Each structure stands twice: as structure tokens, then as C-alpha cells.
Amino acid sequence: MNGIKLRGTGRAVPTGVVTNDDLARRMDTSDEWITSRTGIKRRYRCAAETHTDLCVRAAKAALERAGVSPADIGACIVATVTPDTVVPSAACMLQRELGLPQDIPCFDLNAACTGFVYALHTMECLLNASPRRFGLVVGAEALSRIVDWTDRSTCILFGDGAGAAVVECREDWPSIGAVLGSRGDDELLRLPGLGMGEANFLSMEGTKVFKFAVEAVPACIDAVLDKAGMTAEDVDFFVFHQANARIIDLAVRKYRIPPEKYYKNIENYGNTAAASVPLVLSELEEQGRIGPGSRMLVVAFGGGLTWGGAMIEFA
Ligand code: ACO
């Protein structure tokens, strides 16, 4: 299979910010508890913005950085569990707002926090069958809409935001070698669908998800390395889904990853589910910490349950 590489990334966040102290004024929690258990200090929350606004801003920034015209996009995927509307999909709204071609597939993908990694693999497959070389992959969430703001065990964790990447597919590039998995479980993480007669809130068995994550992350890393025929030392940068700083720290210790080879921005965003990985990629690209030639191992896990990893590069 021909491989994809990143051409450019972008991101967008809403104007609303909720700090730990804001939460501590509303419920029985504290900045100290949240920071020490999760690494989170603040998170963004949609005020007037819609999910579509975030997608459009992040995608425009990625297209600009990539120097790619909307007319050259061959497929558009939005990874999300919180679109403004189920129909039309967020990707179809992006098609309209950006003026993407009408003869291309545009659809949303739900793999919860693993969504962006699933979407990269799906995009690689689609572009292999497309006459166009470029694809638009967005991870975007308005999770503030589906967290119960009276439940201190979940509302402290999640935030809103969007990240986007324009990718290119070429014959002489290797596949990203994605490793994806899933195991149906509606107890550890659950967000009811429309018309189910349940409150439309996310519920989570936090400690059990934590245990699942500390096994899933290294299993994914090992599988990606194995598939790529590489060792952890060969990787230039580890891009972790930002769910909890302690989960990242455990992986960093296990693989002895030096500080210059990984990144945490969870302090400022919380867990933004499908937006988490592209938000990291966009900040790192902007800071010049990753670029052409950097071999990046991305790894994510989330509801479903789902998990996934891949080895990606910039063009
Ligand atoms: N402030 C103060 N105390 C709290 C809070 C809070 N915000 N939340 C819970 N507590 C209390 C609990 O009530 C409990 O008290 P008790 O011992 O008297 O019963 C105590 O703190 C410990 O609670 P635990 O849930 O055991 O705390 P834990 O150390 O496991 O941390 C956390 C909880 C942060 C949620 C952790 O389990 C975690 O990060 N899990 C992973 C979450 C995740 O990665 N989700 C990703 C997927 S999300 C998706 O896909 C959409």
C-alpha cells in the first residue's frame, strides 16, 4: 500500500476557559486533587462557537500551512463523538464551508479518543483508491456538551477543541503501518445515542479505564514498533493521546523516553478525545520540534473500547 505523510497541521479552540479553581468553586474538588491525579489545570469550553466553527478554523489553518487548495482534497474525515448534528455529518458541513470538491467521500468516524488514529489509517486506504493525492483529517470535540457538570469524577477531565492535518499519499512512501483494535464494552465508557431515553451524558469507570490504558498504550507501542521493524530508540518523537499525565508518565518510564522526545499539553486542554493527538501535532509543528524526517509514533486509546497507533512522518 502507498503511504501517507503529513503536509501541514492546524488547530482551533473555543473562547471559553474553565480552570480547576472555577470547578472547585462549584463542587467538592480542588486544584491540588485535579492537578496531582490528572495533570490538568484548565480546559476550553465552547461558548458561542459551534463544533463546525472549530472544524473549519482548524482545517483552514492546516490547508494554509500545507499550501494545499481545498480543490485538491480527495477525502475528508472528521473523527468525533460530539458533532453539531448527526446528519449532516461534521465532515459534510466542512465540505460545504471549505468548498471541498463534491465528488469525494466526506464522513464522520467514531472511535472516541482513538478517532484520529483510526482516521489516519482510513484516509491512507481511501487515498490509495483516489485519483487525488491529498486528504483532510480532522479530530474535533465539543465534549463540554456531553459531560455532566455536576459529576466531579468526569467533568474535570474533558475539554473542547479541534486539530486538523492535510495528508498526502505517494507511491514511494511507506504505509504508516497503523495498528488498530477494539473490544466492545458499554460499562467502562458510555455515551448514550439519541432517543435512548437516557440522560445524554458521558459516564466512565475511571479507575478501570486507567488500568485498561496502562496496558493498551505499551501494547500498541510494541505492535507499531514491531510492524515498522524499529526499536523505541529509532523513534524521533512519541505523540501520546492526552487523557491523563500519569498514563503518559508510565509509558515514558517504561520506554525510557527522554524529555525532548515526547510532549504533554494536557495541562491546558484536558482530554479532548479525538482532537487530542492533532492538537499535539499542531503545537509541535508550530514550535518546530517536529518536521520533515521526524519519525513520530502516535498512540491513543478510548471508548469502544478502542486503541491504535501508527508511525507517521511529515512530507
Ligand atoms: N475531586 C476530588 N475528589 C475526587 C474527584 C474530584 N474531581 N473525583 C473523584 N474523587 C474522589 C473519589 O470520589 C474517590 O473518593 P473515595 O476514595 O472516598 O471513594 C477518590 O477521589 C479516588 O477516586 P478514583 O476514581 O479512584 O481516583 P483515580 O486515582 O482513579 O483517578 C481518574 C480518577 C483521574 C478519572 C483516573 O481514573 C483516570 O484518569 N482514568 C482514565 C480516564 C481516561 O483516560 N479516559 C480516557 C478515555 S475517555 C474517551 O474515550 C471519551
Side-chain angles (χ1 to χ4, degrees), residues 60-71:
K60 279 186 175 169
L63 285 163
E64 193 173 326
R65 197 173 260 276
V68 169
S69 156

Side-chain angles (χ1 to χ4, degrees), residues 27-30 33-34 37-38 81 112-114 143 152-153 156-158 189 202 204-210 213 241 243-244 246-247 271 273 301-303:
M27 60 184 65
D28 184 15
T29 189
S30 65
W33 193 96
I34 301 171
R37 297 291 179 117
T38 69
V81 293
C113 301
T114 323
L143 294 167
R152 67 178 184 171
S153 70
I156 58 152
L157 295 171
F158 297 102
L189 267 158
L202 183 93
M204 183 174 72
E205 296 268 1
T207 311
K208 288 182 184 164
V209 175
F210 192 96
H241 166 49
N244 185 319
R246 289 188 294 149
I247 296 171
N271 179 351
F301 61 90

